[in-house]
Amino acid sequence: MKKRRTKTALLWLISVLVPLMQPGQPVEAAGMQGILLGQGAYEEATDDWEIMLERLDAAIANGKGENVNFSAGNRFTVPEGILEKMSGKNATLGLHTSNGVTFSVSGMDVTAADGPINMEVIFDAEIPEDAVSRIQGYPIVKQFRMAEQENYPCRVNVHMALGEENAGKHAILYSYNEAGGNLQQEGSFRITNDGYAMFGLNRGDEYIVITMDGYTAQPGDTFSGIAVRHGVSLQKLQEANPQITDIDRIGIGQQVNIPKSGV
């Protein structure tokens, strides 16, 4: 296990890593105050590292789940020392990039800071057409990949502005499995009325997000009945919902992804 760095070593680490931050890149999506960070609009984000640290210290001391927003650009590092500072604390660091995407780290998700979070986000995808063919017919609303495809020391949440026109639909996040040459569903999220969605990431990868219709299970619903009601085969419904491992147990209020009948 790595030894805890001294305060002097931490200051040196920050002085080395801060130049990786590229603040001031514009966030292209409007209405960032609606992003799923609980509180704190993008307009409150600072591009000054020292101010961010002061606000983070205050939020940690406050202990009420306050968000500290930093305009990080598309290439940034969260040093191990910052994660150690946040570990187990009720405070969140929001890292605003461009293209309507924000990453966040909650101190409640940090249990052991055994390394920094290094991230360079590129807003396109290099996923082969054969793999993407699986989701043909569905609108692709976001594509992004990380230059460093490595595991993170804690969960990193990604918040995306997908547009109010998609409110109520399900955002489906896929990663590209290079070894298998296919897409793997990582999760789904019902898009808010303001047009935002959020997912938890454990690693850097190539990601693609589509929208799909959704349904909330009601009393008396069965998986096969939902399939019949929406005119899709049971197999297609199962393929669209890998998160439902037991189709004989559909809970009231459970979110079900509804694929297109002709896809």
Side-chain angles (χ1 to χ4, degrees):
M1 180 176 292
K2 297 181 179 179
K3 295 181 179 179
R4 189 178 184 88
R5 291 184 172 89
T6 63
K7 183 177 181 180
T8 301
L10 174 57
L11 291 174
W12 173 84
L13 176 65
I14 291 175
S15 69
V16 170
L17 292 177
V18 167
L20 291 180
M21 301 284 187
Q22 296 181 357
Q25 294 191 18
V27 171
E28 297 172 4
M32 289 299 293
Q33 58 267 34
I35 205 159
L36 301 175
L37 284 173
Q39 63 181 33
Y42 170 72
E43 287 77 9
E44 297 174 5
T46 179
D47 60 5
D48 187 303
W49 178 258
E50 295 299 330
I51 291 177
M52 184 277 288
L53 289 178
E54 290 176 5
R55 291 180 179 178
L56 185 60
D57 284 337
I60 290 172
N62 181 297
K64 296 182 179 180
E66 185 178 348
N67 302 312
V68 176
N69 294 298
F70 184 73
S71 181
N74 295 343
R75 183 171 179 255
F76 58 85
T77 289
V78 182
E80 181 179 344
I82 298 300
L83 296 177
E84 289 177 347
K85 180 196 293 280
M86 295 180 64
S87 181
K89 303 300 193 299
N90 191 18
T92 297
L93 176 60
L95 300 153
H96 295 265
T97 68
S98 64
N99 204 24
V101 174
T102 294
F103 294 92
S104 71
V105 177
S106 168
M108 303 302 289
D109 290 331
V110 182
T111 55
D114 56 359
I117 297 173
N118 298 308
M119 190 174 294
E120 180 177 357
V121 191
I122 303 167
F123 288 104
D124 61 19
E126 295 183 338
I127 302 174
E129 291 184 6
D130 288 347
V132 178
S133 64
R134 173 186 169 185
I135 55 174
Q136 282 183 350
Y138 296 99
I140 296 174
V141 288
K142 289 291 179 188
Q143 296 185 69
F144 60 97
R145 57 189 168 91
M146 286 70 166
E148 300 294 332
Q149 297 188 8
E150 58 186 14
N151 292 331
Y152 299 137
C154 63
R155 186 176 70 175
V156 176
N157 293 315
V158 57
H159 312 252
M160 293 174 284
L162 303 180
E164 293 184 13
E165 67 276 11
N166 289 312
K169 295 182 180 179
H170 285 191
I172 315 293
L173 177 73
Y174 292 93
S175 65
Y176 175 56
N177 178 6
E178 187 173 358
N182 59 0
L183 295 177
Q184 292 183 334
Q185 188 178 130
E186 297 286 344
S188 63
F189 189 96
R190 185 177 181 182
I191 302 170
T192 68
N193 290 336
D194 292 331
Y196 293 90
M198 180 183 74
F199 298 97
L201 306 179
N202 296 313
R203 68 188 185 281
D205 214 324
E206 294 189 55
Y207 294 102
I208 192 166
V209 182
I210 67 169
T211 58
M212 186 180 292
D213 289 337
Y215 175 74
T216 302
Q218 304 298 314
D221 273 340
T222 63
F223 203 72
S224 58
I226 294 172
V228 170
R229 181 180 305 165
H230 291 90
V232 298
S233 70
L234 186 61
Q235 179 182 350
K236 287 291 186 183
L237 192 62
Q238 285 181 285
E239 290 175 353
N241 292 276
Q243 78 283 4
I244 300 177
T245 56
D246 186 354
I247 63 173
D248 294 324
R249 287 176 170 268
I250 301 297
I252 297 173
Q254 186 159 13
Q255 299 296 308
V256 181
N257 304 323
I258 305 298
K260 293 182 179 180
S261 58
V263 175

